[in-house]
Amino acid sequence: MQCTPEEIERKRRLAQERLSKKTKSPFSHCSAETNLNSPPKRTPLETCRSNTAKSPSSYTPYTNKYTPYGKPKPVLQFYGAKNVVTGTCSLISDTRFTVELSSYSAPCIDTFKTISSRFYDSKTKCWNFHLDDYPVFQQKVSSLQPDVVIGKLPAYVLACCRQEKSDFSNVDLSHIDPELHNILMPHQIDGVCFGIEKNGRCYIADEMGLGKTFQALAIANYYKTDWPLLIVTTSSMKNEWEATIHKYLPSVSIMQTQYMVSAKDYIGDSTILILSYDLMSRAIDKLLERQFKVIIMDESHMLKNFKTKCTKVATTLAKIATRVILLSGTPALSRPSELYTQLALLDEKFFGNFFEFSKRYCDGKSTNFGWDSTGKSNLAELEVILAKKFMIRRTKNDILKCLPNKQQEIVNLDVKLNQLSEEDRNSLKSLALLYNSKKAPCDKHAALLTFFAETSKIKIPSVCSFVLQALEIEKKFIVFGHHQRMLDAVEQIVCSKKKKYIRIDGKTTSIQRKYLVDKFQYNDDYVCAILSITAANAGITLTAAKLVIFAELHWNPSILSQAESRAHRIGQDGEVVIRYLLAPGTADDSIWPILQSKQKILKEAGLCKDSFDDLQITNQDLSAKKSVPESPKITSYFPPSDKKENGFESDDDFDKFVTHSEICDKPEDNNSDIFNDGFEEILGNHDITSGNSSPQVSFLDDGLDDILCNVELNI
């Protein structure tokens, strides 16, 4: 049965009237007649559906005032989620904990006052209590929920604080070789006892120069029944470990001590194996097959990144080993997150996982770029946990009361000494503007690296002028630099004064390092040591120097502290002066505040005692400008690569030089003859003869002619 168009229109109107009565809202002021006469409003989705419908005239009415299937909005009550007071608990010492509230709460404060051990710190504006009252505190605070919610202390924190104080009097050290035991100082004996108490899984983090190597060997020697022993260190420290083992562990044969050179070496018969971190990651299969039960990780801060292959291999080896001893004078270089991978080598299950550790101690939070763990939080509690569970750390001020003082100074260089060209000045200004304009951390870091490299060029003449002043004092000193161009410039200025020096950088082998260090230490003719900050900040002793000059800075304050300790350590008999050469208007203005902020974080965690905040600031002595024959240009230290071997840019320059030079024909005038290399004068003073007729020694007679004359040739 087919309906006529009139019937279809009539049924449509009736259906629309019934629908309008059902969906009519009490807030609607429009009548049904108005809705019928006015065109209905449709959403884009309804428009799309109407276009795809079979009948072009079919559509669904829409009212904007009432949505029967819409999600109801939540009604906020007076005591809603925004009014809840939250708080966190954390340790401030091994006997007290503090509570930090998000906002003021009168009921919460009244509850705090009922606890006997309460104390209000006016500086931090927080309440703290004795740890013995923690169960009472939790019971009373729980009655304030849900208006007040205070987080609990982690279980591992409470368990760690309940441990009894260490008593080293019962530790028997008779198992250690007498040669090694007799040289141990009192603080080193305490470190050995601490490691034995922790069952050979400990972190010795004494400051540089306090003898961590002896303590590690003594702990490993105590557990000699668990050997073979694996020692992982840097490439430059291989000789130091070998020499110490051969000298103080005579019970170990020289044939049983092996240094692994390549991943193909046979290590099946080695009792003590020494290898570098790089080789450890490439020889994992052989190391797992050998089953090392005692492991020493020297400079363990190199394992700070859990993503590297080296750290993953070290974690695998630590799971198999029974004893793991970590050594580092700088456990964390910049931030607390660098500690987790090292602590996980000792006890993987203590913190749970990195997420829990970073959330508790690194102010971990989720951002648009992922999980951010570069911050800091609860550092006082972290210091307590480290001392109780993992680490023993002593400073030189605590142990070596008789060690001479260390004086740190900042020297503002006079950049006017450079006499920069207009091009150099514009380049420096543009790099500074580029660094300040960057917003993203990665872009800002890349711009600072470029700015830092350009700063080394700018500082070279002023640094060389300062080095000339140091040479006039005629006392041994150390110059640290970062870029090769800076080291080359300092070497050139020392050579010009005909002074003996040593230079250690990334190209120096381990054998050469020991030879050069001995030259500087025991030979008075060597007055200057030119060192790379990254290549020579650890593993060497240069106590013969009383002055340390930092021509350039480094990103990590711990690296600078390690470099300072090359001179300020056991064996130093005089005051050590540390001078940081900073150039105003360069990248030093940005790097120095970064160093100060990083050092402040490490100091709060108890990993650093030094401070860059209150250093004495002096200006460069301009009297040294007279000792410089000419004001050198920056380009003089960086000859272009296309320069010819004869030293002239082009043939025209060579012709111009010859034209303006006075070439004298007199042979005795050597200063005016540019072609006189002195060899003719040498030949003129010697008689060149053949045979043995002359009693004088012939200059070119090597004796070969006499041999040939006495040989009979049988043809």
Side-chain angles (χ1 to χ4, degrees), residues 416-419 460-462 464-465 468 492-493 496-497 624-637:
K416 294 181 181 179
L417 286 176
N418 301 340
Q419 296 186 359
I460 282 177
S462 299
C464 291
S465 177
L468 287 176
Q492 180 180 351
I493 203 69
S496 65
K497 291 297 181 178
K625 186 176 180 180
K626 298 179 181 179
S627 61
V628 182
E630 293 182 0
S631 297
K633 296 183 179 179
I634 297 176
T635 55
S636 64
Y637 295 97

Side-chain angles (χ1 to χ4, degrees), residues 379-406:
L379 295 184
E381 178 181 297
L382 179 60
E383 182 180 2
V384 174
I385 296 299
L386 293 177
K388 284 277 188 179
K389 173 66 178 177
F390 298 99
M391 183 184 297
I392 182 170
R393 177 173 175 83
R394 284 77 55 90
T395 63
K396 284 177 281 192
N397 295 332
D398 300 334
I399 303 301
L400 304 177
K401 301 296 184 181
C402 59
L403 187 68
N405 295 329
K406 179 179 67 173

Side-chain angles (χ1 to χ4, degrees), residues 312-330:
K312 295 177 181 179
V313 171
T315 303
T316 304
L317 294 174
K319 291 179 180 179
I320 301 175
T322 308
R323 325 291 176 185
V324 178
I325 307 166
L326 305 183
L327 306 178
S328 179
T330 54

